[in-house]
Amino acid sequence: MNEGTSDLIRQLASQLSIVSRRCAFFKEGAAEFREKVLTLLPIIQDINYSRIELPDKRQVELDKLSRLLRDGVELTHKLLASKRWHVHKNFRLWKKMEKIEKEICRFIQFLRVSRSDGVIVALENRKRIVRGMLIGREDQHIVGIHGIGGSGKTTLAREIIRDAQVKAHFGDRILFLTVSHSPNIDVLKARIMIFFMGCNGYASYDHLSRWTLQQSLPDEQPRLILLDDVWTSQALSQLYFQTPGCKTLVVSRFNFDTFYTLKYEMEILSEGDSMALFCQSAFGQRVIPPGFNETLVKQVVSECEGLPLALKVIGASLRDKEEKYWEGAKAHLSKGEPISDTQRSLLSERMATSIKYLQPNVRECFLDLGAFLEDMKITLDMLVHIWVETRGIDEEEAYAIVAELSNKNLLTLVQDARAGDSYSSYFEISITQHNVLRDLAIQLSNQGEINARKRLLMPRRERELPGDWDRNSNRPFQAQIVSVHTEKMEEMDWQQMDFPKAEVLIINFSAEDYFLPPFIDNMMNLRALIVINHGTTNAVLRNFSVFGNLANLRSFWLEKICVPQLTDTTIPLRKLKKICLVLCKINNSLGKSAVDLPQIFPGLVDLTIDHCDDLFELPSGICGLSRVRNLNITNCHILQKLPADLDRLSNLEILRVYACPNLKSLPLSVCELSSLKYLDISQCVNLTQLPEGISRLTSLEKIDMRKCPQVMHLPMSFRSIKSLRNVICDEELARGWKEVAKAVPNLNIKIAEK
């Protein structure tokens, strides 16, 4: 049947080519549709060549595609037969064609997924087996998945918790925790307790002391805890609780058979599935293209030894490369020994083949990822600013590098639902990286003499600084990026070290109070400083005076920190452009009347305050920061008031105040922000109205007001904002916006999904 589908694709493409030549009105549309139709051809041929028997559901979808193609061919005949002057008739026919085009685009996406059916069938079988262990055996409370790194354990685990039967059984009572090589057990325990108590993820840890896991659960409904990337039995013993009604799924490279008897060992992919997955990454189809060196491809695939990660990464690295690169990759891979559970570094060696052919600047950016913690979700906002400040590139180029690394399977992009729209923030996009790839980045960065390395990295959390740092501290370190990961540090715990070329310092720690490293005082070229506390409570920073000499600091990121009090004696950071405060205690540190914020931060252009649960009112002093163009106040759940003099932010272009449920109104001064292009008030569920004077926002291009149920009516003055182009709202407000659209040309109204 699919052979007939290929013929229909060719027929429709041919007919659309004729329509493009003969029908002037539809020339461009027909040509574009033809290109889309032709993208179906290799996909269908791929399915034909693979000889895979498709599941009934997918075969039904392909039958629907054939009918659509036939309808398209018939419509092209009618268009070509219709007289040129029958304008209305021709447009009606073309509208029908556009509907077919839309449906075919959906099929293209569907079939791209279907091309990996062989791998999908294997995944479904694995999922079925583990699902039976979790749901079918009430006498067993713990189940294991184990296998070598890169074998697809976490992928399988994530598919299991997305499975319809698993979700029906456990509902929303599923907790996914990444344990990692150097886990913070106290934080993980706290998250388990919060999960059992039925609180949301940002509940206060202060309440945990009132409740222990030995107490009975609030209810007896089934729960599932997934512990991913578990390295030691000691960690597992502290995180596994035999609580009635709760199942634990353990994902590890090791078989903890003293904990469980129900387990699934990951198998490597079969020869056919390995070839399909590799070709999908290397050629965009599941089979070797005609004319390509089949023997060479099979040799490279064989060296990947059935490991999904190796097949995807190495395949993507050879995409569009000449045969000589394939020969080099084969030679490099063949030097390795067979991969086994005890030879983890050999997998990294195979991965190194994919890094070899990256452009130099892209390779350096990949290596920078080793500076972040294992299993960390890296905010793109953070990463882009590091690269902008250290690599001499702009934001667009930085994002292009992220996209390239993602296309080569060297990282994974995780997007918030709102990401991708115009004015969407890099804060809404995150990056994750497989531990094997992170290990590779660290391994390549650690080559050469320690004082001469471009990056000085602590791969795991330690109680103190590495010994080789101390032994070589008598000479300057030439590192451009320095990454520290410790527990609590006192002044005496630090060594005096010299970093004359350091431009980025990343400090990760777990403690209630933390003495900042004295060597910061000598980092005269530091451009980006990131301080992240991974403890259970907000940390107090000591030795804050080290910031006095950071004259070149451009970007400052604090996470889960008690923000230090600023005073009129605080030394100005004149080149600082960006401040990001996440999960911090503000403690009115920005609101003291004696503090002159414009004096301390005269060049600030970007301020983000996210998930700060003690921010009751945005301090008026912020309005004196006249150069600020981007102000983000998000997920601040007790925020009730914005400053009345907000109009002093005369250069403000982007204002985000989303997910602030206690905010009931916007100040009238918001109407005087003449440079404002984007306003985001989404998820402000108690906001009751927008000010009538909003028509004075003559530069406004987009407004996002989804999930604002209390806003029942729109100001009539919206009709005067001719610059407005995009609106996102709920269905209840769509009618009001459609009335506005009658007066505002080219206004695009997008109704948010429920």
Side-chain angles (χ1 to χ4, degrees), residues 442-680:
I442 293 172
Q443 175 188 328
L444 295 175
S445 294
N446 286 348
Q447 293 176 352
E449 198 266 326
I450 186 170
N451 292 81
R453 293 173 187 166
K454 294 180 181 180
R455 301 165 192 81
L456 198 62
L457 312 176
M458 288 182 64
R460 311 277 183 258
R461 178 162 57 96
E462 306 287 351
R463 292 184 177 179
E464 56 188 18
L465 294 180
D468 55 349
W469 291 24
D470 182 23
R471 289 189 296 272
N472 291 277
S473 61
N474 58 326
R475 292 182 295 128
F477 293 92
Q478 304 302 314
Q480 188 181 18
I481 297 177
V482 181
S483 179
V484 175
H485 189 192
T486 66
E487 297 181 359
K488 180 177 180 178
M489 295 291 279
E490 300 286 356
E491 182 176 10
M492 65 185 69
D493 297 323
W494 294 107
Q495 304 296 328
Q496 188 54 49
M497 295 183 285
D498 188 16
F499 297 96
K501 295 183 178 180
E503 295 182 336
V504 178
L505 175 61
I506 303 173
I507 300 176
N508 290 283
F509 68 91
S510 301
E512 293 183 358
D513 66 278
Y514 192 82
F515 195 92
L516 290 167
F519 56 69
I520 294 180
D521 194 41
N522 296 321
M523 288 182 156
M524 309 299 292
N525 292 310
L526 196 67
R527 291 170 172 263
L529 176 61
I530 299 166
V531 183
I532 301 177
N533 169 31
H534 300 272
T536 58
T537 59
N538 291 74
V540 174
L541 296 181
R542 291 186 286 130
N543 196 28
F544 213 73
S545 61
V546 294
F547 292 102
N549 288 332
L550 300 182
N552 289 305
L553 192 66
R554 307 288 207 279
S555 178
F556 189 23
W557 183 295
L558 292 180
E559 190 164 331
K560 204 180 281 189
I561 302 294
C562 294
V563 179
Q565 292 288 342
L566 301 177
T567 68
D568 54 358
T569 60
T570 302
I571 297 174
L573 297 172
R574 300 191 181 279
K575 294 186 178 181
L576 190 67
K577 295 180 180 179
K578 180 178 178 63
I579 295 177
C580 194
L581 308 176
V582 179
L583 289 165
C584 287
K585 296 290 186 183
I586 303 294
N587 297 320
N588 202 29
S589 58
L590 304 176
K592 296 287 186 181
S593 58
V595 177
D596 187 354
L597 291 180
Q599 176 68 25
I600 300 173
F601 309 119
L604 195 69
V605 298
D606 192 324
L607 174 61
T608 294
I609 302 176
D610 180 64
H611 280 103
C612 294
D613 62 7
D614 67 342
L615 185 67
F616 178 81
E617 179 179 354
L618 190 66
S620 179
I622 286 177
C623 298
L625 300 168
S626 60
R627 294 190 179 184
V628 168
R629 295 196 300 267
N630 192 345
L631 178 60
N632 307 291
I633 313 297
T634 57
N635 300 290
C636 294
H637 292 173
I638 72 165
L639 179 71
Q640 294 189 11
K641 191 176 180 181
L642 297 179
D645 54 346
L646 201 65
D647 56 319
R648 293 168 61 199
L649 295 171
S650 56
N651 290 300
L652 192 66
E653 296 179 358
I654 295 175
L655 175 60
R656 293 186 180 89
V657 202
Y658 71 72
C660 296
N662 277 310
L663 185 68
K664 295 183 179 180
S665 64
L666 298 178
L668 293 176
S669 57
V670 77
C671 302
E672 309 303 327
L673 296 171
S674 58
S675 299
L676 193 68
K677 296 181 179 180
Y678 175 47
L679 175 63
D680 185 354

Side-chain angles (χ1 to χ4, degrees), residues 58-73:
R58 286 198 166 91
Q59 190 60 56
V60 168
E61 292 292 318
L62 283 176
D63 292 342
K64 290 180 182 178
L65 174 61
S66 294
R67 289 195 293 271
L68 274 174
L69 292 168
R70 287 193 191 94
D71 291 344
V73 171

Side-chain angles (χ1 to χ4, degrees), residues 36-53:
K36 293 175 183 176
V37 168
L38 286 174
T39 62
L40 280 168
L41 195 56
I43 304 176
I44 297 298
Q45 289 175 336
D46 182 12
I47 294 173
N48 292 339
Y49 296 154
S50 65
R51 296 183 176 86
I52 291 173
E53 184 176 348

Side-chain angles (χ1 to χ4, degrees), residues 95-108:
K95 283 295 180 184
K96 292 181 180 179
M97 189 70 78
E98 286 179 337
K99 289 182 180 179
I100 292 176
E101 180 181 9
K102 185 176 180 180
E103 283 296 303
I104 285 179
C105 286
R106 184 183 69 81
F107 272 102
I108 291 171

Side-chain angles (χ1 to χ4, degrees), residues 249-320:
L249 178 60
V250 180
V251 181
S252 177
R253 294 174 180 171
F254 309 101
N255 178 14
F256 299 113
D257 51 9
T258 57
F259 285 85
Y260 44 70
T261 55
L262 286 179
K263 57 192 175 183
Y264 182 81
E265 182 176 2
M266 295 296 295
E267 302 172 351
I268 63 173
L269 293 179
S270 67
E271 181 179 345
D273 288 344
S274 296
M275 179 63 73
L277 184 58
F278 180 86
C279 288
Q280 187 66 54
S281 292
F283 306 117
Q285 59 187 55
R286 291 185 67 255
V287 293
I288 303 171
F292 206 88
N293 189 329
E294 185 174 336
T295 301
L296 182 57
V297 175
K298 288 181 176 179
Q299 289 172 335
V300 173
V301 170
S302 175
E303 294 294 343
C304 295
E305 301 199 12
L307 290 171
L309 181 64
L311 291 160
K312 289 165 61 179
V313 171
I314 294 172
S317 72
L318 293 172
R319 187 186 303 146
D320 299 325

Side-chain angles (χ1 to χ4, degrees), residues 128-388:
R128 175 181 50 79
I129 293 170
V130 178
R131 182 177 60 217
M133 296 176 181
L134 289 172
I135 297 177
R137 296 288 301 274
E138 298 305 323
D139 58 321
Q140 299 289 330
H141 296 287
I142 184 168
V143 175
I145 299 174
H146 66 97
I148 187 173
S151 59
K153 301 183 299 296
T154 300
T155 299
L156 174 59
R158 290 190 181 278
E159 285 297 317
I160 287 169
I161 62 175
R162 294 190 190 106
D163 179 76
Q165 293 183 44
V166 172
K167 290 170 73 174
H169 184 77
F170 293 102
D172 59 357
R173 299 172 299 278
I174 299 175
L175 177 65
F176 188 107
L177 290 178
T178 301
V179 180
S180 81
H181 196 277
S182 51
N184 188 321
I185 296 296
D186 290 339
V187 171
L188 294 170
K189 277 185 175 180
R191 290 193 61 187
I192 293 173
M193 290 182 183
I194 288 173
F195 171 66
F196 279 135
M197 292 167 67
C199 302
N200 63 56
Y202 295 100
S204 171
Y205 288 107
D206 299 336
H207 297 94
L208 297 179
S209 59
R210 306 173 194 169
W211 188 87
T212 66
L213 289 171
Q214 277 66 47
Q215 291 177 281
S216 60
L217 295 176
D219 55 63
E220 295 185 0
Q221 292 180 306
R223 288 171 168 81
L224 174 62
I225 298 176
L226 198 158
L227 301 177
D228 186 37
D229 198 22
V230 180
W231 281 78
T232 65
S233 58
Q234 292 86 347
L236 181 54
S237 65
Q238 295 179 78
L239 297 173
Y240 169 52
F241 300 91
Q242 286 185 290
T243 308
C246 182
K247 292 287 185 76
T248 301
L249 178 60
V250 180
V251 181
S252 177
R253 294 174 180 171
F254 309 101
N255 178 14
F256 299 113
D257 51 9
T258 57
F259 285 85
Y260 44 70
T261 55
L262 286 179
K263 57 192 175 183
Y264 182 81
E265 182 176 2
M266 295 296 295
E267 302 172 351
I268 63 173
L269 293 179
S270 67
E271 181 179 345
D273 288 344
S274 296
M275 179 63 73
L277 184 58
F278 180 86
C279 288
Q280 187 66 54
S281 292
F283 306 117
Q285 59 187 55
R286 291 185 67 255
V287 293
I288 303 171
F292 206 88
N293 189 329
E294 185 174 336
T295 301
L296 182 57
V297 175
K298 288 181 176 179
Q299 289 172 335
V300 173
V301 170
S302 175
E303 294 294 343
C304 295
E305 301 199 12
L307 290 171
L309 181 64
L311 291 160
K312 289 165 61 179
V313 171
I314 294 172
S317 72
L318 293 172
R319 187 186 303 146
D320 299 325
K321 290 289 189 293
E322 298 174 8
E323 192 168 304
K324 63 180 180 181
Y325 291 98
W326 287 71
E327 291 285 358
K330 183 197 73 172
H332 184 87
L333 289 167
S334 62
K335 294 177 182 177
E337 301 172 18
I339 297 176
S340 68
D341 288 343
T342 59
Q343 294 173 315
R344 183 173 168 228
S345 63
L346 292 174
L347 180 56
S348 289
E349 290 179 17
R350 283 166 164 76
M351 295 295 139
T353 304
S354 63
I355 309 304
K356 183 178 179 181
Y357 302 116
L358 293 176
Q359 293 293 325
N361 62 329
V362 179
R363 183 179 188 275
E364 291 299 315
C365 289
F366 169 79
L367 297 181
D368 289 343
L369 295 174
F372 296 94
L373 301 192
E374 60 179 335
D375 302 309
M376 178 178 177
K377 190 179 279 188
I378 308 164
T379 305
L380 186 57
D381 189 60
M382 180 191 298
L383 188 62
V384 164
H385 276 85
I386 288 177
W387 288 347
V388 167

Side-chain angles (χ1 to χ4, degrees), residues 380-419:
L380 186 57
D381 189 60
M382 180 191 298
L383 188 62
V384 164
H385 276 85
I386 288 177
W387 288 347
V388 167
E389 296 300 338
T390 60
R391 300 288 166 216
I393 58 178
D394 57 24
E395 288 190 358
E396 289 74 18
E397 187 176 351
Y399 186 76
I401 290 174
V402 169
E404 180 174 347
L405 292 174
S406 175
N407 290 338
K408 294 184 182 300
N409 295 313
L410 294 170
L411 57 79
T412 301
L413 284 174
V414 182
Q415 297 191 9
D416 182 89
R418 66 177 63 234

